[in-house]
Amino acid sequence: MAKKTKDNKEMELERCVNMSNALIRAAQSLSLSEKRLLMLGVSKLDTKKPPSPDNMAVSITAREFAEQFGVSLDTAYNELKTASKQLFHRYISFYWDNNQNFTQMHWVGQATYRDKEGVIKLEFWHKLAPQLFELS
């Protein structure tokens, strides 16, 4: 586990994940690496702004991932690359409107891993916006 410093504690306090109950239930089937990547990505969304293509895209570095989850930098590189590939193929299924409608959609519309830089850019599927933004 990473050594807890004042900066890490402040960073932990700043991270907030806002998701609908349907997304939380759907995330239960993800691997630990996928959950970590997803939650770190969602925590970087500015949900106070209206959803837009630019506002639904986040970049995560291997260093940031390593510090957040207390893993080595090598582990972070591997987990980012693997989890981004897996998360791209994962989908969400849920019933809504009193179980009258069934919807399936992907978590991310695009995942770009820059190998030499150890950076992943996740672009969340735009249809997820109501499940991530302006929740009450």
Side-chain angles (χ1 to χ4, degrees):
M1 190 93 182
K3 192 186 244 184
K4 299 283 183 190
T5 65
K6 185 175 182 181
D7 290 338
N8 280 348
K9 286 182 182 175
E10 287 174 5
M11 189 170 91
E12 287 174 12
L13 293 175
E14 292 175 17
R15 297 268 184 229
C16 183
V17 175
N18 292 312
M19 300 170 79
S20 70
N21 288 336
L23 293 188
I24 291 169
R25 283 189 299 275
Q28 291 176 359
S29 66
L30 300 176
S31 71
L32 178 60
S33 296
E34 292 168 325
K35 286 179 189 177
R36 285 176 168 176
L37 179 59
L38 177 68
M39 296 307 162
L40 187 53
V42 170
S43 76
K44 294 182 82 170
L45 294 173
D46 187 351
T47 57
K48 293 188 179 12
K49 293 181 180 176
S52 68
D54 288 340
N55 195 27
M56 292 194 66
V58 297
S59 292
I60 299 168
T61 66
R63 181 168 307 285
E64 184 178 21
F65 189 92
E67 289 173 359
Q68 184 67 37
F69 299 111
V71 298
S72 72
L73 201 51
D74 285 340
T75 299
Y77 280 110
N78 291 334
E79 286 193 23
L80 273 181
K81 192 171 189 176
T82 302
S84 66
K85 286 180 182 177
Q86 293 171 333
L87 190 59
F88 179 76
H89 294 288
R90 295 288 196 147
Y91 62 90
I92 305 151
S93 309
F94 56 93
Y95 285 94
W96 54 280
D97 205 17
N98 292 325
N99 289 334
Q100 297 297 309
N101 298 299
F102 180 73
T103 298
Q104 290 181 306
M105 63 180 75
H106 288 277
W107 284 98
V108 293
Q110 184 171 325
T112 305
Y113 182 75
R114 294 188 295 237
D115 204 18
K116 303 285 186 212
E117 300 171 44
V119 175
I120 179 79
K121 182 177 180 184
L122 294 178
E123 296 181 38
F124 288 94
W125 176 239
H126 69 278
K127 296 277 188 170
L128 283 180
Q131 307 290 328
L132 295 170
F133 289 79
E134 301 174 19
L135 297 172
S136 56

